[in-house]
């Protein structure tokens, strides 16, 4: 019997591997911080053996409540992933599974590898509709890639979408894959109508270093990028610094920051109600966006989510608050579950890559629904005499 994790996004510590029913493991924290929750490892030599794997330090994870009603992901081929039974008891995550082959992978969530990332941006470029540009090199020397889709004329609304600031939230890059697939489909009338009015700026992976290192939440320097937006630095958070600079160059009319939530079994969004520049027209845009999102995808709901920030209480070091406030625009954090959508559960798969991908396709509809209103709002902002 053997456990290994030296591969893209692999992460686990082996404590004891003496018998199939007593495999003892520990979560390995991010390389330069204490955050831990992501795991991804390969088990070999246990075919047809009932295995009991205990993750001993599950209680020390970033979100221990994330283990309640949680089922780990498993795959024999790293293409088809399914859920396996687990329970959280006395601070230990206990996974009980009988592998049906000599080699099997277990992961916190269906991974999205760096190779998939490179294929995604390469295929996008091949569509002929995408300008692929390099914003800079990360601390580990990886490329931070930006996809620009649209005509980039000044009358266009600027739609910015970023994903995977938190590298363990792999569902977010699946989401981008779905969004791109639809947006680049020339037979899709919604995509074509969007392209007439907007230029999209998409960063499919804000944190490639953390992704490859198998981190949950931080980059190679240990920075939680979604706390760096007020004062990003080249030493600690170059990824945010460059994206911010590019945004200041292009402007932003609509912003989405895509995430996964360890605890809440729902898809939901959080807006910018606590920022200093929050105004009634933005609140109206938020409502309209959410109404159309509800129609576009039954996976979305607006009942469960984060508590709303009180006026002035928003944390401006977070992307959505900083961007929404700086550009006085509609801005949302979108969260998908690690567990499942409790409103539409799937016992075999839970929430997974394909469901995230479909949600990425669906998001184009609410974006389209609010574009005219954003245009009117911008026109009134440019013309003080027509202030409403
Ligand atoms: Zn996140």
């Amino acid at each position: 019997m053997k456990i290994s994790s030296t591969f893209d996004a692999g992460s686990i510590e082996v404590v004891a591997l003496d018998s199939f029913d007593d495999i003892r493991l520990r979560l390995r924290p991010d390389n330069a911080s204490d955050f831990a929750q992501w795991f991804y490892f390969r088990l070999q030599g246990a075919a047809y053996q009932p295995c009991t794997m205990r993750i001993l330090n599950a209680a020390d994870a970033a979100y221990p409540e994330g283990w309640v009603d949680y089922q780990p992901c498993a795959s024999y081929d790293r293409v088809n992933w399914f859920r396996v039974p687990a329970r959280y008891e006395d601070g230990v995550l206990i996974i009980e599974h009988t592998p049906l082959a000599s080699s099997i992978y277990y992961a916190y969530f269906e991974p999205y590898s760096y190779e998939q990332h490179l294929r995604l941006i390469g295929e996008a470029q091949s569509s002929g509709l995408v300008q692929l540009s390099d914003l800079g090199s990360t601390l580990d020397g990886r490329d931070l890639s930006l996809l620009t889709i649209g005509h980039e004329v000044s009358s266009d609304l600027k739609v910015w979408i970023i994903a995977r600031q938190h590298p363990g939230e792999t569902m977010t890059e699946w989401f981008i894959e779905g969004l791109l697939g639809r947006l680049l489909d020339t037979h899709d009338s919604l995509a074509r109508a969007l392209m007439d009015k907007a230029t999209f700026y998409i960063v499919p992976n804000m944190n490639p270093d953390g992704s490859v290192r198998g981190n949950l939440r931080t980059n190679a320097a240990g920075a939680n990028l979604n706390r760096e937006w007020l004062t990003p630095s080249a030493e600690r958070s170059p990824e945010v610094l460059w994206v911010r600079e590019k945004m200041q160059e292009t402007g932003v009319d609509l912003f989405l920051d895509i995430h996964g939530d360890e605890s809440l079994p729902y898809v939901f969004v959080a807006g910018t109600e606590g920022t200093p520049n929050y105004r009634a027209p933005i609140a109206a845009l938020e409502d309209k966006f959410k109404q159309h999102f509800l129609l576009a995808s039954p996976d979305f709901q607006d009942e469960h989510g984060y508590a709303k920030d009180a006026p002035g209480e928003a944390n401006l070091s977070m992307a959505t608050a900083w961007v929404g406030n700086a550009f006085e625009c509609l801005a949302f954090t979108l969260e998908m579950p690690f567990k499942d959508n409790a409103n539409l559960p799937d016992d075999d798969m839970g929430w997974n890559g394909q469901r995230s991908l479909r949600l990425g396709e669906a998001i184009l509809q609410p974006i389209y629904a609010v574009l005219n209103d954003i245009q009117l709002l911008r026109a009134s902002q440019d013309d003080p005499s027509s202030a409403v």
Side-chain angles (χ1 to χ4, degrees):
M1 186 171 37
K2 177 182 175 184
I3 283 181
S4 56
S5 61
T6 308
F7 45 78
D8 186 334
S11 179
I12 200 69
E13 289 172 7
V14 179
V15 177
L17 204 53
D18 303 326
S19 63
F20 296 115
D21 63 357
D22 187 24
I23 298 170
R24 277 171 276 162
L25 307 167
R26 289 177 62 83
L27 299 167
R28 191 214 67 194
D30 288 8
N31 71 289
S33 86
D34 295 331
F35 287 113
Q37 193 127 17
W38 175 262
F39 61 86
Y40 183 15
F41 60 89
R42 180 185 190 187
L43 170 66
Q44 292 185 86
Y48 303 105
Q49 301 292 336
C51 290
T52 303
M53 295 165 266
R54 289 183 175 79
I55 297 185
L56 303 175
N57 62 342
D60 301 331
Y63 303 94
E65 68 278 20
W67 304 124
V68 178
D69 298 327
Y70 166 76
Q71 314 280 292
C73 301
S75 174
Y76 296 103
D77 57 6
R78 297 182 308 130
V79 175
N80 300 291
W81 290 83
F82 53 93
R83 300 275 178 163
V84 297
R87 60 185 196 277
Y88 183 53
E89 255 176 36
D90 302 324
V92 177
L93 183 74
I94 304 162
I95 307 168
E96 287 176 317
H97 186 236
T98 304
L100 301 180
S102 65
S103 168
I104 183 167
Y105 294 83
Y106 296 97
Y108 182 40
F109 193 83
E110 183 173 349
Y112 198 100
S113 71
Y114 193 61
E115 192 55 38
Q116 281 171 286
H117 164 76
L118 294 178
R119 197 186 314 140
L120 176 73
I121 61 175
E123 285 178 359
Q125 180 180 244
S126 299
S127 71
L129 299 170
V130 171
Q131 189 191 318
L132 177 57
S133 46
D134 179 47
L135 296 179
S137 299
T138 62
L139 298 168
D140 282 345
R142 293 191 180 84
D143 309 321
L144 192 70
S145 297
L146 169 71
L147 309 179
T148 304
I149 305 159
H151 305 297
E152 285 195 276
V153 291
S154 59
S155 57
D156 267 5
L157 291 170
K158 313 300 186 292
V159 178
W160 271 86
I161 301 170
I162 67 170
R164 224 173 163 183
Q165 290 199 82
H166 296 142
E169 295 163 8
T170 52
M171 63 286 281
T172 63
E173 206 161 359
W174 287 105
F175 176 97
I176 295 292
E177 184 174 320
L179 183 151
L180 280 174
R182 186 168 185 196
L183 194 56
L184 300 177
D185 178 356
T186 51
H187 300 297
D188 191 309
S189 58
L190 184 65
R192 293 179 60 185
L194 276 167
M195 224 77 93
D196 277 346
K197 293 182 175 179
T199 294
F200 285 77
Y201 299 90
I202 298 173
V203 182
N205 187 342
M206 283 287 292
N207 195 339
D209 291 351
S211 303
V212 175
R213 283 172 175 272
N215 285 355
L216 175 78
R217 240 174 129 70
T218 59
N219 71 356
N224 175 354
L225 296 183
N226 203 26
R227 299 294 183 276
E228 292 284 317
W229 285 74
L230 211 44
T231 52
S233 72
E235 298 72 34
R236 187 173 159 76
S237 45
E239 302 89 343
V240 174
L241 186 70
W242 298 324
V243 169
R244 238 183 59 149
E245 279 173 4
K246 188 72 188 174
M247 283 176 166
Q248 277 156 341
E249 191 186 310
T250 64
V252 184
D253 296 303
L254 194 166
F255 174 67
L256 297 176
D257 181 18
I258 315 301
H259 286 260
D261 188 275
E262 288 80 356
S263 305
L264 291 173
Y266 298 101
V267 174
F268 57 98
V269 293
T272 53
E273 68 281 344
T275 60
N277 290 332
Y278 190 69
R279 299 283 181 274
I282 297 294
L285 282 173
E286 286 182 348
D287 285 342
K288 186 163 186 177
F289 185 97
K290 289 192 277 191
Q291 287 309 316
H292 283 266
F293 197 6
L294 286 168
L295 294 171
S297 172
D299 270 324
F300 176 65
Q301 56 80 54
D302 193 30
E303 204 173 311
H304 307 274
Y306 299 142
K308 282 192 182 298
D309 288 325
E313 295 292 301
N315 180 351
L316 292 175
S317 70
M318 297 171 75
T320 295
W322 186 85
V323 174
N325 192 62
F327 296 96
E328 299 186 37
C329 67
L330 179 62
F332 279 118
T333 304
L334 186 151
E335 299 278 352
M336 285 172 277
F338 273 90
K339 296 172 182 172
D340 201 346
N341 172 8
N343 289 337
L344 279 173
D346 180 324
D347 291 342
D348 296 328
M349 306 290 180
W351 189 257
N352 69 358
Q354 284 302 310
R355 295 177 74 183
S356 310
L357 188 148
R358 299 294 151 80
L359 192 72
E361 294 171 347
I363 199 78
L364 294 186
Q365 213 161 308
I367 293 175
Y368 181 68
V370 295
L371 281 187
N372 278 338
D373 293 17
I374 294 176
Q375 219 145 25
L376 290 172
L377 179 64
R378 285 304 193 214
S380 71
Q381 285 167 335
D382 293 346
D383 175 9
S385 67
S386 74
V388 282

